Amino acid sequence: MTFVVTENCIKCKFTDCVDVCPVDCFHEGPNFLVIDPDECIDCTLCEPECPAEAIFAEDELPENQEHFIELNAELSKSWPIITEVKDPPADAEEWNGKENKIDLLEK
Ligand code: SF4
Ligand code: F3S
């Protein structure tokens, strides 16, 4: 099992999640974070920390978010590890809750 970052993180990227992860399994892209499924120990700590409610357990993903399992696994292989909280984008709150952000994901 692993936890998975889903679509609402795109362009929000609050990074509160990285502060609580005991095994440093978050990886950072230009406007999205992912979890390395090989490192996640399923501790559940990150899920309630995300202001965008973008983190779910793999087996509790919303219906249209299943493809993020593969995306987290794939992108965590090439993106660098992030361990410290940083300021979110200035317009993060405006993007919180917007639908269909997948096309805006920068790799
Ligand atoms: Fe890290 Fe725990 Fe979240 Fe997995 S569930 S990403 S180990 S904080
Ligand atoms: Fe993204 Fe939420 Fe972390 S918006 S960066 S998963 S705190």
Side-chain angles (χ1 to χ4, degrees):
M1 254 274 283
T2 180
F3 277 64
V4 177
V5 184
T6 62
E7 188 165 8
N8 202 33
C9 176
I10 297 170
K11 292 182 76 68
C12 287
K13 204 183 170 191
F14 289 109
T15 73
D16 303 60
C17 52
V18 306
D19 206 28
V20 295
C21 182
V23 293
D24 297 345
C25 54
F26 283 90
H27 293 247
E28 182 185 20
N31 63 3
F32 185 55
L33 256 58
V34 291
I35 292 169
D36 182 345
D38 295 332
E39 298 295 329
C40 178
I41 56 170
D42 222 9
C43 74
T44 77
L45 290 177
C46 58
E47 184 179 358
E49 293 301 315
C50 176
E53 298 181 6
I55 304 175
F56 294 87
E58 183 179 28
D59 61 356
E60 292 176 351
L61 280 168
E63 241 173 47
N64 58 352
Q65 300 288 297
E66 283 97 350
H67 54 297
F68 279 90
I69 295 176
E70 186 58 39
L71 211 49
N72 277 240
E74 176 198 325
L75 296 173
S76 63
K77 289 195 176 72
S78 53
W79 284 356
I81 289 173
I82 172 172
T83 57
E84 291 187 8
V85 175
K86 55 168 73 170
D87 288 339
D91 58 353
E93 280 301 345
E94 289 167 37
W95 287 99
N96 191 357
K98 288 237 164 77
E99 292 183 1
N100 302 318
K101 291 195 277 183
I102 187 69
D103 293 339
L104 303 172
L105 174 61
E106 296 173 32
K107 300 181 186 174

